[in-house]
Structures are given as structure tokens and as C-alpha cells.
């Protein structure tokens, strides 16, 4: 569903399990820090809103979005996580680099989900411009970080 038709921060709170006994790993790309920082804020705020305690939210940073794959893979090796969330932002530029990064990260995270016993939640914004990224990281279309947190809680319970 298009984000234009679905506000990223809207969800039915009654359908969200209690996260007080859950532990989450979050891998955040340092590239586009204005966007990824806002995604992280939304993620942490929503996890805590649903019971996750701060000590059970473990945040690691990686240089860019492509490195999210390695960071998530390393976190899957830790027996203590119930779910892992990756957060990044790739904004289209003038070269095909955007396509390669987006495809690579998507494939890498899909591979982790198919091969590991811990859900890895895909929080990579892939936008045409900075304004679209701002709109989806706490702007007029909500915060993808909120959505990722809810997905992580639900998949951890799955």
C-alpha cells in the first residue's frame, strides 16, 4: 500500500502484544543522519510505549545502508534478541548507485529472514528526494520507525 494512502504511525494499539519481556536489536545507518535519527527516535519511542524497557533496546550504528545487512547478521548471532530492526535512508541521486544499494539491502535482509530464527524488520526508506524522506521520518506521512517497532513486536510474538 502506498504511504500516501496509509499514515506510517497509524495502527490499532489493541492488536499490539506487550513488549515488556522482549529484547530488540536496532541497526541504524549513519548516512542521512537527520532522517535515520528521526527513524530511530520513532522506533525507540514506540517500543517503549508498548512495554520494552530501555535496557532491552540495543542500538548499533553502521556507516551506510549497505552495511545494515552485516550489522543485522551479526545481531542474529546473539541469542538474546527477539527481533532486529534495520533503519536507513537512501535518497535517489543522479547515478544508478541508488538502485544497487536498495536492491542489495532488500535482498540481504530477505535472505536473513529466510535463513535465521530471528525476524529482521526492514526499515529502509527509499525515496526520490529529501522531502519524501522527511515526510516518512516523522513528517506529514508519519514515521516509518513507528511502523518498524510495531512490526518487530508482532513478529517477535509470532
Amino acid at each position: 500500500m502506498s504511504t500516501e494512502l496509509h499514515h506510517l504511525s497509524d495502527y490499532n494499539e489493541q492488536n499490539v502484544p506487550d513488549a515488556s519481556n522482549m529484547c530488540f536489536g536496532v541497526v541504524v545507518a549513519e548516512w542521512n543522519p537527520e532522517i535515520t535519527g528521526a527513524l530511530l527516535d520513532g522506533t525507540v519511542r514506540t517500543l517503549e510505549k508498548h512495554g520494552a524497557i530501555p535496557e532491552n533496546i540495543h542500538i548499533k550504528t553502521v556507516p551506510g545502508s549497505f552495511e545494515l545487512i552485516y550489522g543485522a547478521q551479526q545481531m542474529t548471532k546473539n541469542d538474546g534478541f527477539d527481533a532486529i530492526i534495520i533503519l536507513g535512508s537512501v535518497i535517489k541521486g543522479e547515478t544508478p548507485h541508488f538502485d544497487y544499494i536498495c536492491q542489495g539491502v532488500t535482498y540481504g535482509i530477505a535472505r536473513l529472514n529466510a535463513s535465521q530464527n530471528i525476524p529482521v524488520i526492514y526499515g529502509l526508506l527509499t525515496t526520490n528526494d529529501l522531502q519524501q524522506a522527511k515526510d516518512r521520518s516523522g513528517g506529514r506521512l508519519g514515521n516509518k520507525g513507528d511502523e518498524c517497532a510495531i512490526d518487530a513486536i508482532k513478529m517477535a510474538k509470532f
Side-chain angles (χ1 to χ4, degrees):
M1 177 180 291
S2 169
T3 306
E4 292 288 335
L5 302 175
H6 174 78
H7 196 277
L8 294 166
S9 298
D10 287 345
Y11 59 92
N12 183 345
E13 291 189 31
Q14 296 174 349
N15 293 336
V16 182
D18 176 36
S20 61
N21 291 320
M22 296 179 183
C23 187
F24 301 94
V26 183
V27 186
V28 186
E30 294 171 341
W31 196 260
N32 294 325
E34 173 186 4
I35 303 303
T36 60
L39 293 171
L40 178 61
D41 290 345
T43 298
V44 170
R45 180 183 59 246
T46 302
L47 289 172
E48 289 178 350
K49 177 180 178 179
H50 292 283
I53 59 173
E55 295 80 22
N56 286 342
I57 303 170
H58 302 268
I59 301 164
K60 295 286 187 181
T61 59
V62 294
S65 292
F66 196 76
E67 292 78 24
L68 291 167
I69 303 163
Y70 178 81
Q73 180 185 38
Q74 293 306 303
M75 283 194 157
T76 65
K77 295 177 181 180
N78 181 331
D79 291 334
F81 294 122
D82 295 295
I84 297 162
I85 301 166
I86 62 118
L87 300 171
S89 173
V90 183
I91 300 171
K92 192 166 190 146
E94 297 175 0
T95 69
H97 181 73
F98 172 87
D99 298 319
Y100 300 131
I101 296 299
C102 295
Q103 289 174 1
V105 175
T106 300
Y107 175 77
I109 298 305
R111 184 178 45 79
L112 285 175
N113 272 306
S115 66
Q116 301 298 315
N117 292 323
I118 300 170
V120 181
I121 306 304
Y122 186 88
L124 180 68
L125 287 181
T126 57
T127 59
N128 290 320
D129 56 48
L130 180 60
Q131 188 58 53
Q132 286 180 345
K134 288 179 179 180
D135 289 345
R136 290 159 176 79
S137 60
R140 69 181 184 89
L141 297 173
N143 191 322
K144 180 73 171 175
D146 296 338
E147 182 183 64
C148 290
I150 297 304
D151 292 350
I153 295 168
K154 288 181 174 184
M155 291 306 296
K157 186 68 173 174
F158 187 82

